[in-house]
Amino acid sequence: MKKVFIVSSVALLTIIGVILIVYLRRTPVIYKEKEAFVMGTRLRVFLASRKFSPESLDENVIEEFRRIDAKFDPYREGSAIYKLNHSNGWVKVDKETFNLVETAVRYCYTTGGAFDPTLGRLIYLWGFAKFDERKSFKVPSEEEIRRALERSGCKKVEFNDKEFMINTNGVWIDLGGIAKGYALERAYALIKNLDPDATGFIDIGGEIRIVGPKYGRAPWVIGVKNPRGPGAIDYIYLTKGAVATSGDYERYFIVNGVRYHHILNPKDGYSARGAESVTVIADDGVTADVYSTAGFVMARDWRYVLVHFPEIGVQVMMVLDNGKIVKSDGFEYYEKSR
Ligand code: ADP
Ligand code: MG
């Protein structure tokens, strides 16, 4: 009798335990949101974890963004890129700097030069180098642009991958079109290392890396900003991957009715024309960042972009400069919740 009692008690407790675990797994996780100002914009970390307090993950992420910002800001005296840009000949750099600059230059080749991380001198000339000083914006003379263009170009940059040395041959590296995506990927890896089951997203100035679905398989809903007014022009649903938008409406100034903004066309040294915004969805933050900038520069060839970006797993939506919206075929997949 006693034995039966013990056995049934153990069975009962086991059943209660199992039910409890199943119940806990099903209840939506609790999200914590944390904000910081970094890379000249707003960083939002929105995470849930059963293993760590989301606060501790947030702190790690914010710290990593600050580290990357300080290290790769080309106009901050003493940063790794500042040193590289202000030295002559071959320069020994640390592995991380070598890899990121090499990756950026590789994207320059694979985008036919549209994504160009060697435009530092031009970006500086236009006054887009500083995040806080709107006063610094100015339209340079044609002569100044010509000279800065002469000292730009990916083909000038040489690498020695055995000794981690770079020779910029006088160009200034500017990783503004890839740094946010890189930081997002680093932060994502950091979170997943600490807790593979963590969910949520990280948002750096509208560029978003999904860490995991909202709960179960529920997607995050992301609005695509109207480039010429308030509100959203579209919504996309993501459970993984990343989305980035490059636009002419965040950092710009207007002179004599002409809008000048911070994405430059490497061919002529002026602000790229043809689009108001370009949004891309990709598997990771680096790809999303690079291709939103590249797509923006290639906007006049939007038909080419719509066909060829999907071949490398990048879906794209473009708001052209006449207000018309065009999308790659696969983009539609993300416009529905499933
Ligand atoms: P945001 O940083 O506003 O999200 P992007 O990702 O498009 O926008 O990056 C723009 C930044 O990239 C500029 O501020 C500049 O530092 C750099 N940049 C400008 N033109 C180019 C270009 N053609 N290729 C690569 N980087 C560029
Ligand atoms: Mg970009």
Side-chain angles (χ1 to χ4, degrees), residues 191-324:
I191 294 163
K192 287 290 174 178
N193 267 332
L194 292 170
D195 178 7
D197 297 322
T199 56
F201 63 83
I202 317 164
D203 171 355
I204 177 80
E207 179 174 346
I208 294 167
R209 176 53 153 119
I210 306 293
V211 176
K214 205 166 182 177
Y215 52 85
R217 292 209 316 257
W220 294 101
V221 186
I222 296 153
V224 178
K225 261 194 198 152
N226 176 355
R228 288 293 180 271
I233 51 167
D234 199 9
Y235 289 93
I236 55 175
Y237 299 81
L238 289 183
T239 54
K240 58 185 168 98
V243 55
T245 298
S246 286
D248 66 2
Y249 54 89
E250 299 268 352
R251 296 178 62 213
Y252 70 96
F253 62 102
I254 292 173
V255 174
N256 297 332
V258 182
R259 179 188 288 253
Y260 298 97
H261 60 83
H262 70 314
I263 302 170
L264 302 181
N265 183 347
K267 285 202 180 117
D268 61 18
Y270 285 83
S271 298
R273 302 290 171 203
E276 294 173 354
S277 82
V278 172
T279 299
V280 313
I281 302 170
D283 288 341
D284 67 272
V286 172
T287 310
D289 199 4
V290 165
Y291 282 88
S292 67
T293 309
F296 195 96
V297 173
M298 296 159 88
R300 290 238 158 97
D301 289 326
W302 58 270
R303 286 191 176 82
Y304 175 92
V305 171
L306 296 189
V307 172
H308 291 288
F309 278 22
E311 290 173 356
I312 45 159
V314 174
Q315 297 302 333
V316 54
M317 172 172 128
M318 312 170 86
V319 183
L320 304 179
D321 57 2
N322 57 9
K324 197 175 146 192

Side-chain angles (χ1 to χ4, degrees), residues 47-62:
L47 293 174
S49 163
R50 293 181 203 281
K51 216 165 146 189
F52 292 95
S53 78
E55 286 89 347
S56 67
L57 295 182
D58 294 347
E59 288 308 323
N60 278 307
V61 168
I62 293 169

